[in-house]
């Protein structure tokens, strides 16, 4: 399975390539919930390929990332994020569509 894994958390976007040998090196950039750090798009991969995206960030920020990945030729698949597990509750769980 080849592609990219994206985790859009409460304060950082983390990404790693997923290849036949497993998960590659992690890259990350910060965000403030409304916007990413300057230059963030330069680190995004070019397609074709698949990008698996999990997010607990605000919906508009997740939608911006999804559009940027799609513009680079990636097929974006949104992972389901549960609102809580094992006594830990997430603040935002809506996925962009």
């Amino acid at each position: 399975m080849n592609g990219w894994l994206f985790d859009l958390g409460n304060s950082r976007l983390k990404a790693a390539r997923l290849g036949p040998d497993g998960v590659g090196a992690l890259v990350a950039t910060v965000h403030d919930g409304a916007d990413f750090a300057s230059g963030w798009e330069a680190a995004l991969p070019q397609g074709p390929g698949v990008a698996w995206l999990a997010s607990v960030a605000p919906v508009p920020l997740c939608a911006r990332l999804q559009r940027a990945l799609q513009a680079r030729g990636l097929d974006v698949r949104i992972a389901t994020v549960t609102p809580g597990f094992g006594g830990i509750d997430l603040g935002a769980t809506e996925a962009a569509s």
Side-chain angles (χ1 to χ4, degrees), residues 27-92:
V27 295
T29 188
V30 297
H31 68 81
D32 63 8
D35 203 2
F36 293 100
S38 178
W40 72 279
E41 289 178 308
L44 295 179
Q46 283 292 129
V50 177
W52 287 273
L53 171 60
S55 176
V56 296
V59 171
L61 193 65
C62 184
R64 183 172 177 201
L65 173 60
Q66 185 175 357
R67 286 190 305 270
L69 293 169
Q70 289 169 331
R72 284 165 175 71
L74 292 162
D75 176 19
V76 180
R77 300 185 188 171
I78 305 295
T80 301
V81 179
T82 60
F85 182 78
I88 297 174
D89 294 319
L90 302 176

Side-chain angles (χ1 to χ4, degrees), residues 3-44:
W4 286 86
L5 302 174
F6 289 88
D7 175 12
L8 184 53
N10 291 313
S11 61
R12 295 190 314 152
L13 168 62
K14 297 165 288 292
R17 184 158 184 75
L18 179 62
D21 296 327
V23 178
L26 181 73
V27 295
T29 188
V30 297
H31 68 81
D32 63 8
D35 203 2
F36 293 100
S38 178
W40 72 279
E41 289 178 308
L44 295 179

